[in-house]
Amino acid sequence: MFDPPYPTVLKPYGQALLALARERKEIVCLGGDLTRQTETDFFRDLIPERFFNAGMAEANMIGIAGGLARAGHIVFVNTFGVFCTRRCYDQIAMSIAYPNLNVKIVGFMPGLSSPGGPSHQAIEDVALMRALPNMTVVEPADAVEIGQMVSAIADHPGPVYLRLKRGETPVIFGDDHALKLGKAQVLLRKLGGEVTVVAAGMMIPAALAAARTLGEAGVAATVVNSPTIKPLDAETILAAARGARIVVTAENHTIVGGLGSAVAEAIAEAGVSALLCRVGIADRFAESGSREFLFARYGLSTQSIINAAWNALGRTASAPRAPAIETPEGAYAPV
Amino acid sequence: MATQGAHDLDRLRRLATRIRLHAVRMVAIQGFGYLGQALSSAEIFAVLFGAGMVRFQHDRFVLSPGHYVISLYAVAAETGLLDASALASYGKDGSQLEAIGTERTPLLDLVCGSLGQGLSGAIGFAIASHLAGERRHTWAFLSDGEMEEGQVWEGAMFASHHRERMDPLTVVIDANNSQVDGPVTSVTTIEPLAEKWRSFGWRAVEVDGHDVEALSQALASRASGDAPLVVIARTETRGRLRSIPSDADGHFIKLDSQLERALLSELQAQLV
């Protein structure tokens, strides 16, 4: 595992999908007028016979994906997260989730990673997809996990929602990192600490940085990476939550219905007594702006995680400050 | 395709009547059901499944409005694809023959209960057939009410634009001018349907949907030309039966025992 600022790579999903589709002829790629933005320009240019641009017509695109999957294809549907969840929810429910078809819906620009305002910010996509029977929901944290996730979901015979950051993607994990669909992973071995942070996707760098700062202030913290949000790996998360006084969930998503809710369900049903704090978008729509501005303003920063844990522990002294991380051009660091 | 002889046409007319008879009996058991849909679409299903149009287990058949599955059950019982004794379980708790088609429905490649979605699935089948070089024909049965859903027109645009990347696709529309709140014409204006489909790049043929000869000819023309074909079948939810009151709710006809007896005797008289 690297330390921030993290190096970045471009289009790890697009490269992984192309490589896999060259091996597996049953893979078909659909897009909705966002080919370069969803990294599928490689696929379009090199396997054009299995690439279809459905234009700005997501409902139809989802239905076509269902027909292709019924005929035996593995279909990757690519567009922004807002458009492939909100716009076509009944189509996903009826044409893909209910018949349990082999369609992978890939939604880019999760949460407040889009500068485009509420129309382009998928802040409740996990909640929507998680509510559908048969649907698996995944959110990898870095380029290494993305590459492994593409193969893992292709091997999983059923519908998947894959939530992906767009553009420069950090490399957090080393080559020894092994993602397993349905499994969470303890990233910092400090079990028995007072705080357990459960995070996924773009909140992993902030969770790691917060745990480090808390540790330096005398609060031992564990970080659990949960790239599979549904089905949640309750076993791993419960093991890390038992004995902790505070469980903090961190998600680039509304606190309603996403990772925080999934963890809440798991620990409540298991009778784990830790206090739960959900760090995420506080049930409101956001606005346009840079990632740095929005993550700080809407409570998705390293400091938000530190404050949540610190206050829940009842510490009276002021919370330790997250160090500013100098980030050269092309590198990535949490806000 | 060879023109059908008078004998064939008479056989198809009688098949349509038997579809209606089955439908009346199925709906009579519960007292309600999707009778109007069966009465309007009986000739369409007779021609699709009784005249060798849909090659079972080779072609793909998509039933977009799942409420019409009653017609499929009836024609399947008549053509030996379904045990006729199963029809009595139509719409009953736990039955595989649900009143609105589901993933459990037998015989279909795709059935949708949420309207406007069938054409998109059919396009997926037509692309898959083309990619595999299978030369299957994909059939999509639609109803006129679901033309109000924008997804139908997304599909129409896509199919026309990508027609060279798809195997043949034929759409049949039961234009019975009926939806839940009343005649389609009273709810919104979807006409002129044929001109709309033509402007979306389709070859559109409009026929009397209770005329088996006109339907057969229109559907037989599917092989000509490179544009996808849509056949708009103009029909009535009363199925041109005198016994049904003119003010009946075509979407959800209520069938009491008096109407049941009248319908059965009117239909049986057509078979004599």
Side-chain angles (χ1 to χ4, degrees), chain B residues 25-271:
Chain B
R25 290 185 183 122
M26 278 188 266
V27 171
I29 292 169
Q30 304 261 31
F32 57 85
Y34 296 104
L35 181 60
Q37 287 78 351
L39 299 183
S40 68
S41 67
E43 280 81 11
I44 300 172
F45 278 82
V47 171
L48 285 173
F49 290 91
M53 296 279 176
V54 180
R55 294 167 297 176
F56 187 64
Q57 288 184 329
H58 180 74
D59 289 348
R60 305 280 192 186
F61 185 76
V62 174
L63 183 62
S64 187
H67 314 62
Y68 279 82
V69 75
I70 185 170
S71 299
L72 179 88
Y73 299 150
V75 78
E78 280 296 318
T79 53
L81 295 173
L82 191 70
D83 183 351
S85 67
L87 298 182
S89 72
Y90 170 76
K92 285 189 173 173
D93 287 349
S95 170
Q96 199 186 10
L97 303 192
E98 294 169 84
I100 296 175
T102 70
E103 290 297 317
R104 298 197 307 163
T105 302
L107 306 171
L108 286 164
D109 293 292
L110 172 62
V111 57
C112 309
S114 177
L115 297 180
Q117 300 193 27
L119 176 57
S120 304
I123 292 167
F125 284 134
I127 293 171
S129 173
H130 187 75
L131 283 171
E134 294 170 335
R135 295 299 294 169
R136 297 174 198 264
H137 201 96
T138 301
W139 299 86
F141 179 100
L142 275 60
S143 65
D144 54 354
E146 63 182 335
M147 301 295 119
E148 292 166 12
E149 293 282 2
Q151 187 181 348
V152 172
W153 303 103
E154 293 180 3
M157 245 188 294
F158 181 102
S160 170
H161 183 80
H162 291 281
R163 60 191 169 205
E164 285 167 12
R165 303 182 68 188
M166 294 163 48
D167 275 357
L169 169 65
T170 299
V171 167
V172 187
I173 299 172
D174 181 21
N176 63 9
N177 193 29
S178 169
Q179 62 183 111
V180 173
D181 276 355
V184 174
T185 48
S186 75
V187 175
T188 192
T189 299
I190 62 168
E191 302 293 346
L193 267 189
E195 282 85 340
K196 276 196 174 73
W197 282 89
R198 283 184 194 119
S199 73
F200 276 74
W202 289 58
R203 195 160 58 84
V205 180
E206 210 162 354
V207 296
D208 174 355
H210 296 305
D211 179 343
V212 292
E213 185 173 17
L215 275 169
S216 299
Q217 284 173 0
L219 293 169
S221 76
R222 66 191 179 277
S224 57
D226 64 346
L229 171 69
V230 56
V231 174
I232 299 159
R234 298 289 177 185
T235 64
E236 300 165 24
T237 54
R238 296 165 64 215
R240 302 212 176 127
L241 295 172
R242 292 184 308 276
S243 310
I244 299 186
S246 57
D247 61 349
D249 172 4
H251 179 77
F252 211 64
I253 292 173
K254 286 196 176 57
L255 190 64
D256 59 21
S257 57
Q258 191 184 348
L259 180 56
E260 178 195 348
R261 278 195 301 277
L263 278 169
L264 291 176
S265 82
E266 182 177 354
L267 288 164
Q268 273 152 353
Q270 291 179 4
L271 293 175

